[in-house]
Every structure is written in structure tokens, then in C-alpha cells.
Amino acid sequence: QVQLVESGGGLVQAGGSLRLSCAASGLTFTEYATGWFRQAPGKERESIAYISASGRSTYYLDSVKGRITISRDNAKNTVYLQINSLKPEDTALYYCAADLSFSRQRIGSSPQYWGQGTQVTVSS
């Protein structure tokens, strides 16, 4: 069975940094595009970054571009999200996801597999 397990969330002060990790199992990781979503209280879930199976192509939501970096280590079946210069509005539940397709319609919107999420809270 496919599992995506996020870690690395927590409480951090504004201006700080976090690196989120997502460990995948039960799938052939090198075949899957992976991405990160977030959902803040009272807001819709949004796709903030995704990366192709090879790692050569990436996408970032415009509003976070420049502050976040998505990367993956195919040898470890893990995808990462580095978030710098954290702001209170980054407070959200962060999910990773996986899909065979590197497309906005799939990994950027309705991926096949989801993790349970890791909470990021940014204090001002």
C-alpha cells in the first residue's frame, strides 16, 4: 500500500526556515511526480510546488516563489520542501502528494496519492 509520510513541521518564528520531508513507500518513487500542497484554516487547499519524477522540472506558486525550494532524493524515496523567510500567512497544514503525471491537472490539482500532512505554524 502506498504511504506518504510528512515530517519537519512545527512552530517557528517569522523570518525563520523549515525543511519539510515526505518519505514515500509502496510505489516506484522514480516514476512519480511529487508535490506539496497547503491548507490554511478557512482557506482552500493550494498547490505550492511540484517536481517531476526525474527532478529536472519544477513548478512554484507565484506567491511563494523565491522563498521555497522543492527537491527530491530518489535514492531515499523522499521529497523535500525548504521554506525560508517564513511569514505568519504560511501557517497551514502542509501535505505532500504523488502522481504519475507531472501536470497541473494531476500533480498540481488532483494527485493520486496524499500524505496526512504536517502542521506549520509561524508566530509573528
Side-chain angles (χ1 to χ4, degrees), residues 73-117:
D73 185 338
N74 283 349
K76 295 182 178 180
N77 285 10
T78 301
V79 58
Y80 304 98
L81 187 73
Q82 177 73 36
I83 316 173
N84 299 322
S85 303
L86 279 156
K87 305 175 181 181
E89 51 263 43
D90 292 321
T91 295
L93 189 61
Y94 284 70
Y95 302 88
C96 73
D99 196 278
L100 285 169
S101 174
F102 180 70
S103 70
R104 187 182 296 271
Q105 290 72 33
R106 294 284 295 276
I107 189 62
S109 178
S110 302
Q112 185 174 3
Y113 299 112
W114 291 94
Q116 294 298 307

Side-chain angles (χ1 to χ4, degrees), residues 3 5-7 18-19 21 23 25 35 43 50 66-68 75 80 94 97 99 107-109 116-117 123:
Q3 283 193 310
V5 180
E6 301 94 336
S7 61
L18 280 176
R19 189 174 83 152
S21 300
S25 60
K43 294 189 176 181
Y50 46 92
R67 293 196 298 120
I68 68 168
Y80 304 98
Y94 284 70
D99 196 278
I107 189 62
S109 178
Q116 294 298 307
S123 63

